[in-house]
Amino acid sequence: MAMFNAFNVSASGLTAQRLRMDILSENVANATTTRTSDGTPYRRQNVVFEEKNQSPFQAVFNNSLGNPKFVGNGVKVTQIIEDYETEMPMVYDPSHPDADENGYVTYPNVNIITEMTDLIDATRAYEANVTAFNASKSMALQGLEIGK
């Protein structure tokens, strides 16, 4: 059963990182969107991860001493939040249709360099989960070969 737990942990990481890459791609695609359906500029979105079936430290510690299957259960996405901490840049462009009375346009708080860096990080995490999944699969196959 521990082998299937390893598959589940890797699969949850793959799913979470895939969603993260989708959100980062959406951020890049909307880097210049000055008006959304509600009339405001696009806001950068972030993915929030959390451990699946989180339990107190002492319970994890005690269970791991006698039963290692409780060491970890993977990751899940708990929410996708909009970034209100990063400032929205104001650019002077009086000819833009979304310019205010002073000629300034509010652009999304998306920094392409940050998004691409995060996208590389998500890609590497995805690749690490694929490697872990393949290693678990290889161990399972080798275990089946022992019986031959």
Side-chain angles (χ1 to χ4, degrees), residues 10-54:
S10 295
S12 72
L14 289 168
T15 304
Q17 293 302 332
R18 171 69 189 267
L19 178 62
R20 182 178 175 210
M21 287 187 277
D22 289 344
I23 295 299
L24 290 167
S25 299
E26 183 179 325
N27 288 343
V28 170
N30 288 298
T32 58
T33 304
T34 58
R35 187 183 316 161
T36 59
S37 60
D38 63 355
T40 60
Y42 178 83
R43 282 203 176 270
R44 179 176 187 261
Q45 296 180 350
N46 292 318
V47 179
V48 178
F49 295 137
E50 186 176 287
E51 180 185 355
K52 279 186 179 179
N53 302 328
Q54 213 172 25

Side-chain angles (χ1 to χ4, degrees), residues 45-74:
Q45 296 180 350
N46 292 318
V47 179
V48 178
F49 295 137
E50 186 176 287
E51 180 185 355
K52 279 186 179 179
N53 302 328
Q54 213 172 25
S55 53
F57 173 78
Q58 192 62 40
V60 171
F61 180 74
N62 289 335
N63 288 332
S64 67
L65 290 176
N67 194 350
K69 73 176 187 177
F70 291 108
V71 171
N73 292 318

